[in-house]
Amino acid sequence: MMARMIRKILVCVLCVCLVLSCLSCSKRKEMGETVEPQLEFTAEKSAAGEGAGVEAGGSYLFTDHVGRQVQVPKEIKKILPAGPLAQIILYSIAPELFVGLADPWKEEARGFIPNYQFELPYLGKLYGSASLNVEGLAFAAPDCIIDIGQENKSTVEDLDTLQNQTGIPSVFFSASIKSMAETYRILGKFLGRQERGEELACFCEETYARTLKIMEKVGDKKVRSLYVLGEEGLNVIAANSYHSELLDMLTENVAVVDNPLAKGTGNEVSMEQIALWNPDFVIFDAGSIYHEVKNKGAWNSISGVASGRYVEVPAVPHNWMGLPPSVQRYLAMIWLPAILYPQYCDYAVKTEICRFYQLFYGHELTDSEYENLTQRAFF
């Protein structure tokens, strides 16, 4: 009875915080100001009890990638990812610290992701979303909420609001294809997992450096490509968009549009536009029209389809091309150069893919699992 009463009080307090936060203001950096990351513990141990989840050991003042100074526990024992991108990265370094999910695991991920992860409460995206599970968040009581990704104009405001609403320390780590190794090193220090962070960072550094060398050899002879999504195959990942970072790096992305959308559904286009672009290589998103493209007359006139140079991106447990654009894109850095520029690739594709699954998912791929994953990933 007492435990139930305490839970009700926690939920009520959190709800009150949600309302009061609308009336509160926090100090934010000025628009356009660039904040150099100062990812160090910048203060001595403070008094215990400040902020949600602070243990008796005290807390430190932590400056995150957007310049926010946040009081965080000296030892973080429970974490919550703020979104799907953060969840993928955090899972690879500290899955045992999860007290909830920002994105439910896909059912087909069973076997790759351990069963206990499927039993964690789904709390939704923790900002910019109407699906915030207030009661679930109160029960989960994480020591820290962690967001990872690309900074945008509202990042500081979103995290300030989230922290004010919940009373839980909320921090941001920047991550891109180029900076992923450094992100893991910083997370390793932040979470007390330096050795693990270094192991993952080294893989990222090695893979990224190798890919750059391959692309230097390719030079201006990149393959003209198109990434196709949607049930009708009429959505594309546009060049120079947030989600096209990897595609633009490895290929000449022909999907040049006036207003590239920074969302996973891409830009909607017409079949006539796709015919004008006429890509030499087509990547179909999982669940798009890969299986039926040969039965669609208009697609048979597209160079990449007519020549058989089209694939479907593997997507278990996550899409290799990056929807969301997280660390699994390193799988595509192994896979795509090997099929597009094999003359420059001196590594064993299967060995490297299996290595990734072992390092980042803790799963040893069997031969049959590998075949199932990649059965539509090669010409």
Side-chain angles (χ1 to χ4, degrees), residues 2 13 115 127 165-166 189 225 278 301 340:
M2 180 64 70
V13 170
N115 287 334
Y127 61 86
Q165 287 176 341
T166 63
K189 181 176 181 180
S225 75
N278 195 26
S301 65
L340 296 179

Side-chain angles (χ1 to χ4, degrees), residues 54-359:
V54 176
E55 301 292 334
S59 61
Y60 288 96
L61 193 63
F62 184 78
T63 306
D64 69 8
H65 257 127
V66 286
R68 298 169 59 258
Q69 290 191 323
V70 181
Q71 205 77 30
V72 297
K74 179 181 178 182
E75 183 180 4
I76 296 175
K77 298 179 179 179
K78 297 185 292 182
I79 62 174
L80 192 64
L85 191 161
Q87 181 170 306
I88 296 171
I89 293 175
L90 290 170
Y91 176 82
S92 63
I93 191 170
E96 73 282 1
L97 299 186
F98 279 23
V99 293
L101 302 173
D103 191 36
W105 299 112
K106 296 182 292 188
E107 190 59 32
E108 54 264 40
R110 286 190 183 274
F112 296 89
I113 303 296
N115 287 334
Y116 81 89
Q117 284 281 325
F118 288 83
E119 298 170 2
L120 293 171
Y122 166 56
L123 301 176
K125 295 180 182 180
L126 297 181
Y127 61 86
S129 172
S131 63
L132 176 62
N133 185 339
V134 177
E135 183 174 357
L137 185 58
F139 291 164
D143 294 329
C144 188
I145 295 172
I146 301 176
D147 191 23
I148 305 174
Q150 182 186 58
E151 178 188 356
N152 58 47
K153 293 180 180 179
S154 67
T155 298
V156 172
E157 182 176 358
D158 287 340
L159 285 170
D160 283 350
T161 300
L162 175 62
Q163 187 166 295
N164 289 338
Q165 287 176 341
T166 63
I168 299 170
S170 303
V171 297
F172 178 82
F173 294 88
S174 176
S176 65
I177 289 177
K178 183 178 180 179
S179 69
M180 194 65 71
E182 184 60 23
T183 300
Y184 272 116
R185 289 192 173 100
I186 294 165
L187 280 171
K189 181 176 181 180
F190 184 76
L191 297 172
R193 281 160 173 72
Q194 289 93 328
E195 186 175 339
R196 176 64 175 158
E198 184 62 26
E199 182 181 30
L200 298 170
C202 286
F203 180 94
C204 292
E205 275 182 340
E206 175 189 328
T207 304
Y208 184 70
R210 182 180 64 209
T211 305
L212 288 182
K213 288 182 180 179
I214 291 170
M215 297 315 298
E216 284 177 7
K217 294 175 182 176
V218 172
D220 59 0
K221 296 181 180 179
K222 288 183 178 180
V223 170
R224 299 177 66 257
S225 75
L226 187 68
Y227 191 129
V228 174
L229 311 90
E231 293 181 2
E232 299 300 320
L234 295 177
N235 286 62
V236 300
I237 296 297
N240 302 313
S241 67
Y242 177 44
H243 289 274
S244 73
E245 182 183 13
L246 177 65
L247 193 64
D248 295 349
M249 174 186 177
L250 301 179
T251 71
E252 179 188 339
N253 184 357
V254 299
V256 178
V257 301
D258 292 333
N259 182 32
L261 299 180
K263 58 182 183 179
T265 53
N267 284 72
E268 186 174 354
V269 297
S270 66
M271 194 64 221
E272 289 75 15
Q273 178 60 74
I274 292 175
L276 287 172
W277 284 329
N278 195 26
D280 297 319
F281 171 62
V282 183
I283 303 175
F284 289 98
D285 190 47
S288 190
I289 61 169
Y290 174 91
H291 291 289
E292 48 193 286
V293 68
K294 276 291 186 181
N295 299 323
K296 293 180 177 290
W299 276 98
N300 283 319
S301 65
I302 303 301
S303 174
V305 174
S307 64
R309 291 175 63 81
Y310 64 98
V311 297
E312 182 181 72
V313 59
V316 179
H318 306 103
N319 184 301
W320 287 12
M321 289 298 294
L323 299 175
S326 194
V327 71
Q328 80 278 17
R329 291 180 293 177
Y330 279 72
L331 282 164
M333 269 192 260
I334 299 167
W335 159 60
L336 278 185
I339 61 174
L340 296 179
Y341 317 110
Q343 67 272 34
Y344 301 127
C345 299
D346 60 357
Y347 56 89
V349 176
K350 180 178 178 180
T351 299
E352 289 299 289
I353 289 173
C354 290
R355 185 178 164 213
F356 181 99
Y357 272 77
Q358 193 281 321
L359 276 174

